[in-house]
Amino acid sequence: MLSREEVVAVAVRLFAVFLTVQAIRLSVQAISADPGVPSGDLALGIMLTVIFPLAAAVLLWLFPLSIASTLLPINKGKAPQSNNYQSILETGCILIGLWLLASALTDMFYWVVILIVAARSDIGFAVILTEDIANMIATGVQVFIALYLLLGYRSILNALNSLRSKGVSR
């Protein structure tokens, strides 16, 4: 059976593969960009949507156990039963956080490029629709939730443990 660090390391490597696939997909979209987009904006867009995700993917692929051990807390002398339950919850929060971050990160880069292009265009931000603004906010909320699950999941676990000890979740 895999340890919790190994499970998270596998998820980190899967996240790296996902980022690579998304970067390739976005590079194809960048190649077919509107010819009216200035080359400087296009280069900046490609850098944000392709190079940064690829660089992150390389780091994630090369150092998955280091990243996993950074995300997971060090266990010191906990009871075995509590430790097993806690380990499963910690691993689950991290995996859900990685999945949310994976699905939101490329959208975030996309919206940053859209905002940069809109800011540099003659029309300005008037070209951005209300639906796009709602999607930007939704992406921001998704990134926030993912980061909270990755970095602040201990408070969620404490709340779940307190509910469990009171008999609410039985």
Side-chain angles (χ1 to χ4, degrees):
M1 184 167 161
L2 296 174
S3 71
R4 63 191 188 128
E5 287 84 7
E6 292 169 330
V7 170
V8 173
V10 168
V12 166
R13 282 217 165 149
L14 289 174
F15 182 37
V17 170
F18 177 82
L19 283 177
T20 303
V21 169
Q22 289 296 95
I24 292 168
R25 184 184 66 118
L26 290 172
S27 66
V28 171
Q29 289 177 350
I31 291 170
S32 65
D34 181 18
V37 175
S39 61
D41 290 345
L42 185 61
L44 180 64
I46 291 172
M47 184 179 72
L48 286 173
T49 59
V50 177
I51 294 173
F52 283 148
L54 282 178
V58 167
L59 289 175
L60 292 171
W61 187 263
L62 294 176
F63 306 108
L65 283 172
S66 300
I67 293 167
S69 63
T70 302
L71 291 172
L72 289 168
I74 298 170
N75 288 334
K76 294 182 182 176
K78 292 184 179 179
Q81 181 183 27
S82 172
N83 189 15
N84 188 26
Y85 173 75
Q86 194 79 2
S87 294
I88 292 169
L89 283 175
E90 289 169 351
T91 305
C93 284
I94 289 173
L95 294 178
I96 291 170
L98 284 172
W99 177 75
L100 282 173
L101 189 62
S103 61
L105 201 57
T106 52
D107 287 343
M108 184 181 70
F109 286 124
Y110 172 81
W111 292 119
V112 167
V113 170
I114 294 295
L115 288 173
I116 290 170
V117 170
R120 293 183 177 186
S121 74
D122 294 336
I123 300 171
F125 293 107
V127 76
I128 297 176
L129 303 172
T130 305
E131 178 182 338
D132 293 336
I133 294 171
N135 285 329
M136 287 179 207
I137 292 170
T139 299
V141 169
Q142 189 173 354
V143 168
F144 174 77
I145 291 170
L147 291 175
Y148 183 75
L149 282 171
L150 287 171
L151 304 173
Y153 61 88
R154 287 180 189 94
S155 61
I156 293 172
L157 296 179
N158 290 337
L160 288 173
N161 285 334
S162 69
L163 288 174
R164 186 171 185 239
S165 66
K166 291 179 182 176
V168 174
S169 65
R170 289 185 190 190

